[in-house]
Amino acid sequence: EQSEGTPFYVEELIRMLIEDGIVVKGGERWCVELERLADLGVPPTLTGILQARVDGLRTEERATLQQAAVMGRVFWDDAVRQLSAVDEVAGQPDQVTEALAALRGREMILQRETSAFAGVEEYSFKHATLREVTYEGVLKRVRRKYHALVVDWLLAQSGERAGEYTGLIAEHLDQAGRPAEAAEYLRRAGEQAAARYANAEAADYFTRALKLIP
């Protein structure tokens, strides 16, 4: 009744029940721990269920998911390790691979068959809403530091292909609190869009750049 027929809500609710040990998976049959079910408080919204799943993660898994969320819906394992290396709480880059595997097992993230960058694995959040909920859980002061590190990683990885990621780099510069640099990258992105006659996209980039200029 609460899901109003939304399959994703029902799917995430079932996963939450499994992770909380209320639904116990078996070989041919699953069972429900009725005593524990009676005490369950079902979050009234999809966001609430997703937040409950994130809160139920181990510290290392939650930190890895939050670092990935700063990058966006799509992210790369090597970039997560770079962010993890400076994390005051879970600065364990060697645990990132294990955490990503656990998050895949929970079907919170998906591994892509190919990667935009050589030598690194590319992942994506299963659902955009999960990424948004996770991102909101990152402290604002930490977000800015993470966004700045993502800029460094993108510039180092893209090399001569940096032009392909101008818009993405601009977005992270803006979130890192570096408006002047963000405006310059937005201008470049606008010029690139205009050159291929993507006029609406170009206008959007130029408008965002102007808003960042005093």
Side-chain angles (χ1 to χ4, degrees), residues 39-197:
D39 298 329
L40 175 69
V42 180
T45 64
L46 173 60
T47 298
I49 287 180
L50 293 173
Q51 186 63 63
R53 290 195 66 202
V54 173
D55 291 344
L57 294 172
R58 292 169 51 234
T59 301
E60 296 82 3
E61 295 168 1
R62 185 166 59 253
T64 295
L65 195 66
Q66 289 178 334
Q67 290 155 0
V70 172
M71 274 174 269
R73 177 83 184 268
V74 176
F75 61 94
W76 298 269
D77 61 346
D78 187 64
V80 176
R81 289 190 187 91
Q82 184 163 318
L83 270 59
S84 179
V86 299
D87 194 298
E88 297 100 347
V89 178
Q92 302 292 333
D94 57 332
Q95 295 181 353
V96 168
T97 300
E98 180 182 341
L100 290 174
L103 293 169
R104 284 181 63 198
R106 293 174 180 268
E107 294 193 32
M108 302 179 90
I109 63 173
L110 305 171
Q111 184 173 356
R112 296 189 163 190
E113 293 184 1
T114 59
S115 175
F117 302 107
V120 299
E121 299 292 341
E122 184 170 305
Y123 296 82
S124 67
F125 278 82
K126 183 176 180 180
H127 198 279
T129 306
L130 174 59
R131 183 261 164 181
E132 293 166 5
V133 169
T134 305
Y135 182 78
E136 288 302 315
V138 182
L139 296 175
K140 290 185 177 180
R141 62 177 178 81
V142 177
R143 285 184 204 171
R144 296 180 71 170
K145 177 178 66 175
Y146 281 171
H147 281 294
L149 289 169
V150 173
V151 170
D152 295 339
W153 188 87
L154 284 170
L155 289 173
Q157 285 290 323
S158 57
E160 296 180 356
R161 297 170 52 208
E164 299 176 29
Y165 301 94
T166 305
L168 181 59
I169 292 170
E171 181 69 27
H172 285 291
L173 282 168
D174 186 21
Q175 295 297 326
R178 293 155 63 177
E181 294 171 80
E184 172 59 22
Y185 271 87
L186 285 169
R187 180 188 65 79
R188 296 181 195 176
E191 290 175 348
Q192 291 170 4
R196 61 177 186 272
Y197 301 102

